[in-house]
Amino acid sequence: MTTVKEQLISNVAAEDNVPHCKITIVGAGSVGMACAVCILLKELVDELALVDAEADKLRGETMDLLHGSIFLTTSKIVSGKDYKVSENSKLVIVTAGARQKEGESRLDLVQRNVAIMKSIIPNIIKHSPDCKIVMVTNPVDILTYVAWKISGLPANCVIGSGCNLDSARFRFFIGEKLGIHPTSCHGLIVGEHGDSSVPLWSGVNVAGFPLKCLNPEIGTDSDKEHWKTVHKQVIDSAYEVLKLKGYTSWAIAMSVTNLSETILKNLRRVHPVSTLVKGLYGVKEEIFLSTPCILGRNGISDIVKMNLNSDEEALIKKSADTLWNIQKDVKL
């Protein structure tokens, strides 16, 4: 007796089961699932894989996504504890790790998360040796260094989400102060993704016009308009969201999706992401921190040479020293 499917469908060619554009997200917590939703809605992949140690939660999250399949264009969503589901990924996004506690600095998280990375990164490389890795877990700069060391990949293939989100927050708060949409406000934050990040006031502009030309003291203690508080808002905002809702998820997910799009579509856009900066800005150690990079299919293809003033360069070196003071004691 023939089945309904056999009566309905006549097969004429073998199905191509190899994904052409696959992303794996490691960690099905609040950040990982927010990344999944944003990536699916952005229609970036033909296959999405989720990996997490908590089998029941992972199965529930996957079912929840699959039940919305008619509203999506991604043909395949898979999940499992076994990293085999991540096979043939072009991009792997790592969000798994110990969650930041209220009042806890990102740097205080480091040793708790190093052990977790030792169990994750080798499994990623085993099943997708040619992938690019985007690190999201905090403290992201040090853990990007850790992932690079464990993976054996070239430094340009292991990218920290870094200050891409800090810069988005910076532009939002500048736009809020000026009454202008943040996409029309341009400015970068570099250095550590955290308390020692560095706002590049010399480059902040609207429509190509530098704000420093209108207010030479902008961003300094002498500034009567107190623009320096904008950077303080950037630093404090993550802690404020953490205090109010217990975690951050949506803004970082949109930032990671933005990076993923640039990489997978080979757009060669400039993003302030965490990368190896040894030899730059007076840094002599193997430190990862955010600097403007050109991203594409090969990961980081170029680093933009920043024209910094002496104060900005000193602050970046100080940010590097802050990271090194923790990283030098990390045991891999």
Side-chain angles (χ1 to χ4, degrees), residues 19-122:
H20 297 280
C21 190
K22 177 176 179 177
I23 287 179
T24 290
I25 298 172
V26 181
S30 53
V31 173
M33 293 314 300
C35 287
V37 169
C38 290
I39 286 165
L40 289 170
L41 293 178
K42 196 73 174 177
E43 302 180 353
L44 294 184
V45 293
D46 59 3
E47 183 172 334
L48 178 69
L50 304 173
V51 178
D52 196 276
E54 294 186 36
D56 287 345
K57 183 181 188 303
L58 181 61
R59 185 163 175 263
E61 293 285 12
T62 307
M63 287 172 65
D64 212 2
L65 290 176
L66 288 170
H67 294 166
S69 291
I70 67 162
F71 310 115
L72 304 171
T73 60
T74 299
S75 58
K76 193 173 182 182
I77 301 172
V78 296
S79 66
K81 291 176 67 173
D82 191 328
Y83 281 80
K84 186 166 176 55
V85 298
S86 70
E87 198 169 36
N88 296 317
S89 294
K90 287 195 181 300
L91 185 66
V92 178
I93 298 165
V94 179
T95 70
R99 181 178 285 181
Q100 188 176 6
K101 299 173 183 176
E102 185 180 340
E104 182 181 35
S105 161
R106 289 184 178 93
L107 295 178
D108 292 337
L109 279 170
V110 64
Q111 205 60 57
R112 289 201 290 148
N113 279 319
V114 169
I116 296 172
M117 293 308 132
K118 285 182 177 180
S119 68
I120 290 173
I121 304 302

Side-chain angles (χ1 to χ4, degrees), residues 163 167 187-192 197-204 270-277 279-283 289-294 302-317 319:
C163 289
S167 298
L188 290 178
I189 286 185
V190 296
E192 180 209 354
S197 64
V198 181
L200 300 182
W201 288 107
S202 60
V204 173
V270 176
H271 295 271
V273 290
S274 192
T275 191
L276 184 65
V277 294
L280 301 174
Y281 320 121
V283 177
L289 52 72
S290 285
T291 192
C293 298
I294 299 172
D302 307 89
I303 294 176
V304 177
K305 297 177 182 178
M306 295 190 289
N307 185 19
L308 304 172
N309 61 42
S310 57
D311 290 340
E312 290 168 340
E313 188 152 343
L315 286 171
I316 291 177
K317 183 62 171 66
S319 188

Side-chain angles (χ1 to χ4, degrees), residues 203-231:
V204 173
N205 71 88
V206 173
F209 198 85
L211 299 194
K212 206 166 181 65
C213 289
L214 302 173
N215 179 358
E217 304 297 329
I218 194 167
T220 68
D221 293 329
S222 306
D223 175 23
K224 293 178 181 177
E225 292 185 69
H226 308 293
W227 279 90
K228 192 173 183 177
T229 60
V230 170
H231 180 233

Side-chain angles (χ1 to χ4, degrees), residues 164-274:
N164 199 55
L165 175 55
D166 306 61
S167 298
R169 287 173 173 150
F170 190 44
R171 294 170 67 182
F172 168 76
F173 289 123
I174 290 170
E176 195 173 49
K177 196 171 173 73
L178 293 173
I180 298 173
H181 195 278
T183 56
S184 295
C185 303
H186 303 281
L188 290 178
I189 286 185
V190 296
E192 180 209 354
H193 171 58
D195 299 348
S196 71
S197 64
V198 181
L200 300 182
W201 288 107
S202 60
V204 173
N205 71 88
V206 173
F209 198 85
L211 299 194
K212 206 166 181 65
C213 289
L214 302 173
N215 179 358
E217 304 297 329
I218 194 167
T220 68
D221 293 329
S222 306
D223 175 23
K224 293 178 181 177
E225 292 185 69
H226 308 293
W227 279 90
K228 192 173 183 177
T229 60
V230 170
H231 180 233
K232 186 176 186 303
Q233 283 179 289
V234 171
I235 294 172
D236 292 346
S237 59
Y239 296 114
E240 187 176 2
V241 173
L242 188 66
K243 183 178 179 180
L244 292 170
K245 64 177 266 191
Y247 55 89
T248 60
S249 58
W250 292 112
I252 182 60
M254 287 184 268
S255 173
V256 170
T257 301
N258 175 243
L259 297 176
S260 302
E261 181 181 42
T262 298
I263 294 167
L264 293 177
K265 293 185 177 181
N266 199 35
L267 294 179
R268 292 185 58 77
R269 293 190 295 209
V270 176
H271 295 271
V273 290
S274 192

